[in-house]
Amino acid sequence: MNIAIHPQATVDADRLVALRADLGDVPLITDEAQLRQKSRDFFWFSPILKEELDHCRADLVALPRDRNDLVRIARACARHRIPLTVRGGGTGNYGQAMPLEGGVVVDMGALGATRWVRPGVGRFEAGARMLDIDRTLRGDRQELRFHPSTRAHATIGGFLAGGAGGVGSCTWGQLADRGAVIAVEVLTVEEEPRFIELRGRDALKVMHAYGVNGIITEVEMPLAPWHPWAERICAFDTLEEVARFAHALTAAEGIAKKLVSVHDGRISPLLKRIRPFVPDGKAMVILMVSEPQAPTVEDMAAEFGGETVFARGNEEVEAATFDGQGKLPPLYEYTWNHTTLYALKAKPGTTYLQVRYPAGREIEIVTHLAGVFGEEVLFHLEFQRRFGRVFVSSLPLVQYTTRERLEEIVRMIEAAGAELSNPHTYRLSDAGWKKVDAPQASFKREADPHGLMNPGKLLS
Ligand SMILES: Cc1cc2nc3c(=O)[nH]c(=O)nc-3n(C[C@H](O)[C@H](O)[C@H](O)COP(=O)(O)OP(=O)(O)OC[C@H]3O[C@@H](n4cnc5c(N)ncnc54)[C@H](O)[C@@H]3O)c2cc1C
């Protein structure tokens, strides 16, 4: 976890003046406060990144209204050799969208149209927010297969370029898995920008590449059939009991489900609005299951020693999700990295790690580690279905003291047999398991020949 500080190399004034002349009437932000705000993401989840990246600021934010504006921006940046960093919803948490060397941040927010939808597939502009995509698809009784817990703000292009999986992964796996993305369209950053269509496995060239090798302009995604999702919280005496139930539920193909998220008994007190429902000290699982099958799931939880302590039907879940109504936000907003967000509010000094467990040993390792670390590391587990089996990953909450202690905790988790990806680095190549099996570097030479896109995020 050694991170060198990148001094901000702000672009010189002459080049910026020339750039602005080329941009013509493309809307721009130049106001200091907004420049700073549009140059940040959730990097501050990491005390290490907070120290390293707090200074980052773009020289300009461009707000393309359509594809023509985007081409104009790409051409002007190439011509004047100005760094360009693409921004979706700005919800990344490794500083992915932060301009290390200033230049132009391109906010994709206005490019959010649905191109077309057919049974099982839809094509969307990259700036579309995932909640809005699903809002559009509701009429068709379809939905995105999975989305991050930041569905309300994250864009589909940002998810492909910076995300992994999320709500729905308990059935459909992750973005890197075969079949998760059908195609992407990319715009190159050259004097004569080109649109390139990458279909099938070729799409991996730009996935989880932090926007260093082309501007994703459109994505074509497989869709899942919509279910009337209902929410449940079930409480259990121990982390081990709840994990065994979650494992069995994720393996039960006959039950349609969208979320299986397990939390250590010490986590619910940190989630202010969940807390009243969960008896003190009890571990819990947050679930989204198809409403007609919710009674089956409750029975199953009882067989494993659990008790249903919260239930919300589909109508209320939809109202909370799409209209912001009801006492609680959608429960998925307490899972994945949203757990870190709430924990940070309740307990400043909290940070997190990213861990995955070898098949068959997940529960043994997690219960062992929970005992070893006590209050210092609190476990919550996200159950997924990948590679034809149950797959368990987690974003444990860590009470941060020093960088050295964090590194020690990492070593102890590795020694117990789990694998980590480092969320305290903004460099792709330092992150660990998230390397993509595709020629991303050679595609960069094609899509970004001047090396202007999101500089500093690749080691070489
Ligand atoms: C509270 C919280 C919860 C989270 N939960 C999850 C989760 O459940 N699962 C998960 O995978 N992640 C999660 N994340 C991380 C993040 O929300 C997701 O990765 C999200 O999909 C990022 O989308 P965005 O539009 O906000 O992208 P941004 O943060 O704007 O960008 C992410 C990266 O993609 C690049 N990029 C953005 N748009 C484009 C484009 N059109 N073309 C090329 N590059 C582009 C940016 O330059 C940047 O490098 C969470 C983060 C937070 C803060």
Side-chain angles (χ1 to χ4, degrees):
M1 290 189 195
N2 249 337
I3 302 165
I5 298 179
H6 271 256
Q8 188 182 0
T10 307
V11 173
D12 64 75
D14 290 349
R15 273 154 66 220
L16 280 178
V17 169
L19 175 91
R20 287 187 68 163
D22 278 9
L23 291 180
D25 67 347
V26 174
L28 300 176
I29 291 175
T30 52
D31 161 75
E32 182 62 34
Q34 284 190 68
L35 281 179
R36 193 167 150 74
Q37 188 251 322
K38 291 279 187 188
S39 301
R40 296 163 82 80
D41 60 14
F42 285 72
F43 71 109
W44 47 269
F45 271 25
S46 158
I48 294 169
L49 292 181
K50 189 163 166 31
E51 208 181 300
E52 306 284 356
L53 298 181
D54 206 37
H55 64 279
C56 288
R57 183 175 73 61
D59 297 297
L60 274 183
V61 175
L63 305 163
R65 297 156 295 190
D66 53 29
R67 288 160 73 90
N68 292 337
D69 279 357
L70 202 56
V71 170
R72 201 162 184 173
I73 295 163
R75 180 184 293 126
C77 285
R79 193 162 165 231
H80 302 290
R81 302 289 196 269
I82 291 181
L84 177 159
T85 301
V86 191
R87 180 180 179 86
T91 67
N93 32 34
Y94 325 121
Q96 295 111 304
M98 297 178 68
L100 299 183
E101 297 180 16
V104 178
V105 161
V106 181
D107 185 325
M108 297 292 285
L111 302 177
T114 296
R115 285 274 169 247
W116 47 258
V117 177
R118 296 179 198 137
V121 57
R123 188 161 172 121
F124 312 95
E125 281 191 322
R129 291 183 199 281
M130 279 176 274
L131 185 71
D132 293 334
I133 291 179
D134 279 336
R135 197 192 301 279
T136 307
L137 293 172
R138 273 162 100 198
D140 254 22
R141 289 286 186 254
Q142 301 199 80
E143 61 182 15
L144 291 171
R145 286 176 164 183
F146 52 90
H147 58 77
S149 59
T150 47
R151 183 192 203 184
H153 303 284
T155 62
I156 189 80
F159 187 41
L160 260 60
V167 184
S169 290
C170 61
T171 300
W172 293 105
Q174 294 216 355
L175 280 174
D177 301 349
R178 195 173 281 273
V181 175
I182 294 174
V184 296
E185 183 196 61
V186 173
L187 180 67
T188 62
V189 176
E190 307 174 271
E191 284 82 348
E192 290 306 325
R194 294 166 295 141
F195 287 97
I196 300 176
E197 180 88 356
L198 300 170
R199 301 198 70 84
R201 295 297 277 176
D202 267 356
L204 286 173
K205 289 178 181 169
V206 293
M207 283 171 58
H208 214 271
Y210 293 2
V212 299
N213 58 2
I215 304 173
I216 300 172
T217 45
E218 291 190 3
V219 302
E220 205 172 302
M221 299 295 283
L223 303 176
W226 176 87
H227 280 271
W229 300 116
E231 294 172 336
R232 295 290 184 273
I233 299 177
C234 303
F236 291 74
D237 284 338
T238 65
L239 181 60
E240 182 171 349
E241 271 179 11
V242 68
R244 289 200 187 286
F245 163 68
H247 200 286
L249 176 62
T250 310
E253 284 101 349
I255 296 171
K257 58 191 102 56
K258 197 163 176 179
L259 182 65
V260 182
S261 178
V262 159
H263 299 250
D264 181 305
R266 292 163 294 189
I267 291 183
S268 61
L270 303 174
L271 313 177
K272 205 166 137 203
R273 291 207 265 172
I274 298 282
R275 181 182 193 153
F277 299 102
V278 184
D280 273 356
K282 292 251 185 181
M284 67 169 172
V285 60
I286 299 180
L287 301 171
M288 285 174 76
V289 296
S290 187
E291 185 153 28
Q293 295 188 301
T296 308
V297 173
E298 290 184 13
D299 288 349
M300 190 175 166
E303 280 166 32
F304 279 80
E307 178 199 359
T308 301
V309 294
F310 176 87
R312 190 156 65 167
N314 176 253
E315 219 171 289
E316 285 173 278
V317 171
E318 297 269 307
T321 306
F322 292 101
D323 305 318
Q325 288 174 5
K327 290 199 181 101
L328 286 175
L331 290 190
Y332 64 74
E333 289 190 2
Y334 290 95
T335 67
W336 291 80
N337 232 344
H338 264 81
T339 318
T340 318
L341 183 64
Y342 285 109
L344 254 162
K345 281 185 190 166
K347 229 175 150 189
T350 300
T351 188
Y352 73 113
L353 289 168
Q354 298 178 142
V355 186
R356 62 188 193 185
Y357 304 91
R361 293 192 57 215
E362 309 90 343
I363 297 172
E364 170 210 332
I365 294 176
V366 168
T367 48
H368 162 72
L369 289 172
V372 169
F373 291 118
E375 296 289 331
E376 193 179 14
V377 183
L378 306 181
F379 286 85
H380 60 109
L381 312 174
E382 302 304 338
F383 280 74
Q384 303 173 49
R385 183 101 206 164
R386 298 184 76 191
F387 318 122
R389 64 172 171 84
V390 175
F391 182 98
V392 184
S393 67
S394 72
L395 299 157
L397 305 173
V398 178
Q399 196 57 41
Y400 182 77
T401 45
T402 62
R403 197 184 276 233
E404 292 69 32
R405 177 61 185 158
L406 191 61
E407 284 170 1
E408 199 176 345
I409 292 170
V410 166
R411 282 195 296 275
M412 288 163 78
I413 295 177
E414 280 171 346
E419 217 187 323
L420 283 101
S421 162
N422 180 8
H424 302 281
T425 176
Y426 54 80
R427 286 207 196 100
L428 264 169
S429 25
D430 286 350
W433 75 61
K434 293 191 172 168
K435 288 190 192 87
V436 173
D437 182 19
Q440 294 194 328
S442 64
F443 190 68
K444 181 170 174 68
R445 287 192 283 278
E446 188 179 338
D448 179 30
H450 305 302
L452 300 170
M453 295 199 70
N454 209 355
K457 303 292 165 64
L458 282 174
L459 270 186
S460 57

